[in-house]
Amino acid sequence: MADPTANSTSTDAGEAEALKSISDAMRDAVQNATEDAAKVKEKLAGMDVGRSLSRFAYTSSYMVSYGIVYGTVFIARAIPQDNPIVEGLIDGGRAALDALNEAKETPVTAPTT
């Protein structure tokens, strides 16, 4: 019969080797992650994040306003000019611009209580 203690020590040695291998892999992974994080931090420090955000905000606003204005002009050009609807839209637009210009010229005063 085989000695059960001999098989047990061989299994224990195998488990110990496997655990050592796992711990070495974990140590290497932590070390690599730390090094990679330091590299990313160095790259981000070199970038001007504020400028990037500002550029993104400008480009996004430009694209949205261009799309709105272009679409509006395209639709306005597609509608025939000689009808009461277009004349009403033109007159309403002029009245809105006049009201806006008037509001800009009027000084704002704080309400008294």
Side-chain angles (χ1 to χ4, degrees):
M1 253 180 133
D3 185 13
T5 57
N7 192 14
S8 174
T9 56
S10 144
T11 305
D12 289 344
E15 287 177 3
E17 186 64 32
L19 289 175
K20 182 173 181 348
S21 174
I22 292 172
S23 70
D24 290 343
M26 292 296 287
R27 184 189 67 240
D28 292 343
V30 168
Q31 184 178 1
N32 289 338
T34 304
E35 290 171 4
D36 291 343
K39 288 177 185 176
V40 168
K41 185 177 178 182
E42 288 173 9
K43 286 182 182 180
L44 286 178
M47 298 173 81
D48 187 8
V49 178
R51 184 172 181 218
S52 297
L53 290 175
S54 176
R55 185 70 183 162
F56 174 76
Y58 171 81
T59 303
S60 300
S61 301
Y62 180 90
M63 290 170 54
V64 169
S65 65
Y66 183 87
I68 291 171
V69 171
Y70 184 82
T72 304
V73 169
F74 182 77
I75 291 170
R77 295 286 180 192
I79 298 173
Q81 299 294 319
D82 298 330
N83 68 44
I85 295 173
V86 173
E87 290 175 10
L89 289 172
I90 291 170
D91 290 343
R94 286 184 182 141
L97 286 173
D98 291 342
L100 180 63
N101 288 333
E102 201 174 292
K104 285 182 180 179
E105 292 173 1
T106 306
V108 178
T109 58
T112 57
T113 43

